[in-house]
Amino acid sequence: MELKHTKITVMGLAKTGVASARFLAQQGARVTATDMRDETALAGVLAELAGLDIRFVLGRHDEADFTATDLVVVSPGVPQEHPLLRKATETGVTVVSEIELASRFITAPLVAITGTNGKTTTTTLVGELFQANGFSTYVGGNIGDPLIDLPASGETVERVAAEISSFQLEWISSFRPKVAALLNITEDHLDRYQGYQEYINAKLRIFENQTADDFAVVNRDDELVWQAAQSLKAQLFPFSRKHELTEGMFWREGELVYRHNGHELCFPTADFRLQGVHNLENIMAALACTLLLGCQHDTSLELLNHFEALHHRMEFVREVAGVRYFEDSKATNVGSVAKALESFENITLIAGGKDKGGSYAPLAELVQQRVRHLVLIGEAAERMQQELGGFAATHRSQTLEEAVQLCASLTAPGDVVLLSPACSSFDMFKDYEERAQRFIAVVKGL
């Protein structure tokens, strides 16, 4: 793809936009970077891009930058139906996401991982497995550094692991992973998409350009995923906690089993540091992706026996008066909370926050079976109480601090207090990390 002297508009100067603008300018493109924020708000970004030949249009977007250009690179935070993106496509201008741009300059085998839940843990684990097996590896995408930073660096690597969100897949055209993994699909981001099916369709685009030479790693136990997988062109490689598979990765008592082309490898799970049924699925997916691309049994098993949970995903905080406290602030949707609830019994659950538009009803059965006390916070508390309040003793708290104190008084020794909100954090906190840190601080102060 020739970039020199090409007119390119970069829309949105968040992380991927900044990285894209830098790369394009370094390649000799005539770059216009545009953002609705002004110079004051973007002072740090402007300093970061100082010295590069970039034209900035800030505090507004000009239509001409979208219709009289060769290419638009759009940040994932910009909705697909933005009027100026529609204008661009109507006038024949190509619109691409940053991952589409990056993929045109990446030659190493790419493992791309998507799903509603588990993406970050699985992607991190894929990167660690590749590195432990001696492959020089770049890990990026929706986790850590933008994918475009790899071609920008000029570095040559042997493997690439990328976490990919539905937003990033909206503007792909030739993006083609050697291995694409779909971990699960549950309702999420319905504040962005017009309906659940539109969100599902965005996720499935990860397989769009694969051929029979590629692999699709899919969750056999997620009926929606499995049904969609039947029409894929890539070689299907399922993973399952519930079914024994003739080809794929599955769990049987005390071990994970990998079967491929008549060969079988077994991975005892007794010493795995990652706990919880959701992590068993994440490990199976990561192993499938990496074993298909040359990783070895012994080295991979050794890595798995030492790999620990990422922050804010089912993280053990401490035990107080016989009660164990777990922080799962990254669980911002129903599917993620379901996995957490499946991992414990006798739970006092703290949930709530900014409502994302989906139903909480799918949690009803698990709440009834496993939750003794439901402590609700934030904007979504009223609707959560309506949908789930009849299945456990339900309480309301005005703040997270108040909720933790209430949990300490309600929960019996031997039981678990779990922060797993099923909502985003923006009604009360800057982000899910701040929510996590506040929870940890209160628990440590008990």
Side-chain angles (χ1 to χ4, degrees), residues 96-416:
V96 299
S97 58
E98 171 263 339
I99 63 165
E100 171 65 30
L101 178 68
S103 70
R104 299 181 184 187
F105 297 90
I106 291 173
T107 55
L110 168 65
V111 174
I113 295 150
T114 197
T116 307
N117 301 302
K119 296 186 296 293
T120 301
T121 297
T122 304
T123 305
T124 304
L125 189 48
V126 165
E128 295 280 342
L129 283 164
F130 277 142
Q131 288 165 356
N133 277 270
F135 294 105
S136 56
T137 305
Y138 182 84
V139 180
N142 199 44
I143 170 181
D145 299 319
L147 214 49
I148 196 68
D149 279 355
L150 175 57
S153 71
E155 182 185 357
T156 301
V157 297
E158 295 167 301
R159 298 287 185 271
V160 178
E163 175 186 323
I164 304 295
S165 73
S166 59
F167 298 168
Q168 291 172 306
L169 290 164
E170 289 174 358
W171 291 104
I172 63 165
S173 57
S174 62
F175 179 76
R176 177 189 165 190
K178 181 65 181 172
V179 179
L182 178 55
L183 306 179
N184 45 63
I185 299 181
T186 58
E187 280 191 348
D188 200 9
H189 298 302
L190 298 188
D191 49 350
R192 164 87 167 230
Y193 294 104
Q194 291 186 3
Y196 189 21
Q197 190 59 50
E198 191 175 292
Y199 169 64
I200 293 166
N201 294 343
K203 285 288 188 195
L204 292 173
R205 295 198 69 190
I206 199 165
F207 304 113
E208 191 171 285
N209 299 302
Q210 287 191 301
T211 71
D213 294 328
D214 305 315
F215 291 97
V217 172
V218 297
N219 188 340
R220 172 65 183 85
D221 303 336
D222 187 313
E223 286 306 321
L224 203 160
V225 169
W226 186 239
Q227 184 181 348
Q230 302 312 303
S231 58
L232 301 180
K233 295 177 228 152
Q235 300 174 58
L236 268 191
F237 199 84
F239 63 92
S240 175
R241 281 193 292 122
K242 301 173 182 176
H243 305 277
E244 181 169 338
L245 305 170
T246 53
E247 178 84 358
M249 191 106 209
F250 63 94
W251 181 83
R252 69 183 174 206
E253 201 60 47
E255 62 183 2
L256 301 181
V257 182
Y258 169 86
R259 284 181 180 164
H260 182 47
N261 290 342
H263 298 286
E264 181 171 298
L265 300 172
C266 298
F267 296 81
T269 61
D271 294 327
F272 287 3
R273 298 282 186 90
L274 282 182
Q275 297 296 307
V277 294
H278 65 305
N279 277 325
L280 205 57
E281 294 176 355
N282 296 339
I283 291 167
M284 284 193 284
L287 272 176
C289 291
T290 52
L291 293 169
L292 288 168
L293 289 181
C295 286
Q296 301 301 308
H297 175 275
D298 291 357
T299 309
S300 300
L301 179 59
E302 185 179 354
L303 185 279
L304 290 172
N305 287 338
H306 292 93
F307 186 86
E308 296 188 345
L310 303 182
H311 288 318
H312 318 317
R313 295 160 187 84
M314 295 275 290
E315 186 175 14
F316 175 66
V317 180
R318 69 180 289 217
E319 184 173 321
V320 187
V323 175
R324 291 178 299 150
Y325 289 77
F326 286 85
E327 177 269 298
D328 192 30
S329 184
K330 189 81 162 51
T332 59
N333 57 67
V334 164
S336 188
V337 176
K339 299 292 185 188
L341 296 181
E342 285 177 21
S343 302
F344 302 107
E345 292 181 346
N346 301 328
I347 302 165
T348 300
L349 174 66
I350 302 175
K354 188 177 187 300
D355 191 271
K356 295 171 79 176
S359 171
Y360 301 107
L363 292 173
E365 187 176 347
L366 281 167
V367 169
Q368 187 170 32
Q369 292 170 351
R370 295 172 181 264
V371 175
R372 289 188 170 182
H373 295 279
L374 181 59
V375 179
L376 300 174
I377 60 172
E379 289 176 8
E382 180 65 37
R383 196 159 78 83
M384 294 187 93
Q385 183 160 1
Q386 289 172 7
E387 294 190 35
L388 299 174
F391 300 101
T394 302
H395 317 263
R396 299 273 282 270
S397 290
Q398 294 303 306
T399 66
L400 181 57
E401 288 79 4
E402 183 186 308
V404 174
Q405 295 289 346
L406 178 59
C407 290
S409 67
L410 292 171
T411 310
D415 292 356
V416 165

Side-chain angles (χ1 to χ4, degrees), residues 28-46:
R30 293 159 58 197
V31 180
T32 295
T34 178
D35 195 292
M36 291 302 292
R37 291 170 292 172
D38 62 16
E39 289 85 347
T40 304
L42 290 168
V45 166
L46 295 175

